[in-house]
């Protein structure tokens, strides 16, 4: 699980993730119209675990305990910490899976 290939795969995933979000960070206020919808979908997809976990019953993840009128409440600081931990674990598991796939052909048991 903590092999060198797993860490390398995790770094590749992290660099790809940073490369995907780099245009948004650079052009945040002047984002071209054709990029606003994809980044909105990506941002929502990344926040969905907090809403699911709040729906399951874990408190403190959303502002105002999820009661924001007609709008969606944003995550709290604790919610953002949970999101970061969740996605790092997901990236680690994907990297571990890739590492197992690549090392399986090398005679490893």
């Amino acid at each position: 699980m903590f092999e060198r290939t797993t860490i390398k795969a995790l770094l590749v995933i992290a660099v790809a993730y940073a490369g995907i979000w780099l245009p948004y960070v650079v052009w945040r206020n002047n984002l071209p119209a054709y990029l606003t919808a994809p980044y909105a979908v990506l941002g929502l997809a990344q926040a969905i675990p907090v809403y699911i976990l709040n729906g399951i019953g874990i408190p403190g993840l959303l502002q105002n305990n999820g009661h924001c009128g007609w709008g969606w409440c944003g995550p709290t600081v604790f919610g953002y910490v949970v999101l970061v931990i969740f996605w790092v674990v997901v990236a680690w598991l994907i990297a571990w899976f890739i590492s197992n796939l690549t090392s399986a052909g090398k005679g490893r048991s």
Side-chain angles (χ1 to χ4, degrees):
M1 180 175 240
F2 296 102
E3 297 172 359
R4 186 176 295 230
T5 55
T6 305
I7 295 171
K8 286 180 182 179
L10 181 65
L11 289 176
V12 168
I13 291 169
V15 167
Y17 179 79
I20 289 171
W21 281 99
L22 185 65
Y24 180 78
V25 171
V26 171
W27 294 326
R28 178 175 289 181
N29 295 328
N30 300 336
L31 196 65
Y34 63 89
L35 287 179
T36 55
Y39 280 112
V41 170
L42 282 174
L44 178 63
Q46 290 182 12
I48 288 294
V50 166
Y51 296 104
I52 292 172
L53 291 171
N54 184 62
I56 291 172
I58 299 175
L61 297 175
L62 297 177
Q63 296 174 358
N64 300 324
N65 292 324
H67 303 292
C68 291
W70 290 97
W72 284 33
C73 297
T76 60
V77 173
F78 177 62
Y80 281 116
V81 169
V82 169
L83 275 175
V84 168
I85 291 170
F86 176 82
W87 287 114
V88 168
V89 168
V90 168
W92 181 266
L93 291 174
I94 291 170
W96 184 44
F97 181 70
I98 291 170
S99 173
N100 282 339
L101 285 179
T102 58
S103 64
K106 296 179 183 177
R108 199 177 144 235
S109 54

